[in-house]
Amino acid sequence: MGTVDQLPVKEGEWVNEGETLLVLDRKSYEANMLLAKSRLEQAQLAFARVESLNASKLVSAQDFEASRAAYEMAKAEYDQAADEYDKTVIRAPISGTVAQLDIEAGEAVMIGTMNYTGTVLAVLADLSHMQALIDVDEADVVSVAIGQPATIYVDALPDTSFAGHVTNIAYMPTQNVLNATQQTTTFEV
């Protein structure tokens, strides 16, 4: 969890893959990484001393193993702290348009899944490849085939048509109840 420190993008902007979308407050993560780095350096020096003493048989095998284990644990803690620090910068996984931005600078964010509120920070869309889900009446669906060319018209853009092709036809129909005596049966294409 963290607080959004920087939000260099705006809804509707184009971003390239790898470009920074937002930066969380990094102070505590940076402090943890510096602390882990100091512990790693200390454990590395201690292990180097014990290793040289072990070569001369001046230290027990138990002390040598304990020193090596302490060094390896310090290295793992540093790697984990560095990873957490790196994750405070959220980058674009694809090139595309920022279609939705659900966060503002200063707001808190939480780790979670797509099923919980607060986990979708932004939505990127590659608008060069759009997918339309269209309900086709059961009487007409028999005339539709996968791969068939299609022309799509949108009410919001009456003078514009979009060329496409059929990629999927639902196996199960959707029934829509219009009123107490009428219903329609359609297939999602």
Side-chain angles (χ1 to χ4, degrees):
M1 188 163 134
T3 304
V4 177
D5 189 39
Q6 299 171 29
L7 191 62
V9 298
K10 291 179 179 49
E11 200 167 293
E13 280 185 354
W14 175 266
V15 294
N16 293 313
E17 182 178 348
E19 191 173 327
T20 299
L21 296 176
L22 65 95
V23 179
L24 299 177
D25 183 17
R26 308 174 98 186
K27 291 176 195 139
S28 64
Y29 294 101
E30 185 176 15
N32 287 340
M33 188 175 69
L34 291 173
L35 181 63
K37 184 178 179 182
S38 295
R39 287 182 179 156
L40 173 61
E41 289 170 355
Q42 185 179 18
Q44 188 175 19
L45 291 171
F47 178 60
R49 281 191 301 272
V50 171
E51 192 173 35
S52 67
L53 291 172
N54 186 52
S56 302
K57 304 289 186 206
L58 296 173
V59 70
S60 69
Q62 182 180 1
D63 289 343
F64 174 74
E65 290 299 321
S67 180
R68 181 169 52 189
Y71 167 67
E72 288 173 358
M73 287 188 334
K75 185 169 181 358
E77 287 173 0
Y78 173 73
D79 290 345
Q80 182 179 10
D83 182 55
E84 288 174 358
Y85 178 77
D86 290 343
K87 288 180 180 173
T88 60
V89 177
I90 310 298
R91 300 187 185 282
I94 63 167
S95 294
T97 301
V98 179
Q100 182 179 342
L101 196 57
D102 292 337
I103 196 81
E104 293 179 14
E107 288 185 338
V109 295
M110 66 175 72
I111 299 170
T113 64
M114 296 299 288
N115 299 329
Y116 296 108
T117 304
T119 58
V120 178
L121 305 176
V123 175
L124 299 182
D126 179 1
L127 300 178
S128 65
H129 295 88
M130 299 282 290
Q131 183 176 21
L133 300 175
I134 300 168
D135 289 327
V136 176
D137 188 82
E138 65 182 330
D140 299 325
V141 77
V142 295
S143 303
V144 179
I146 292 179
Q148 178 179 353
T151 304
I152 300 164
Y153 299 94
V154 181
D155 291 341
L157 303 168
D159 298 332
T160 307
S161 66
F162 299 93
H165 62 278
V166 177
T167 59
N168 186 43
I169 302 171
Y171 291 109
M172 296 297 296
T174 303
Q175 294 193 353
N176 301 310
V177 177
L178 301 176
N179 59 38
T181 59
Q182 292 181 323
Q183 75 176 24
T184 62
T185 303
T186 59
F187 287 80
E188 189 175 89
V189 177

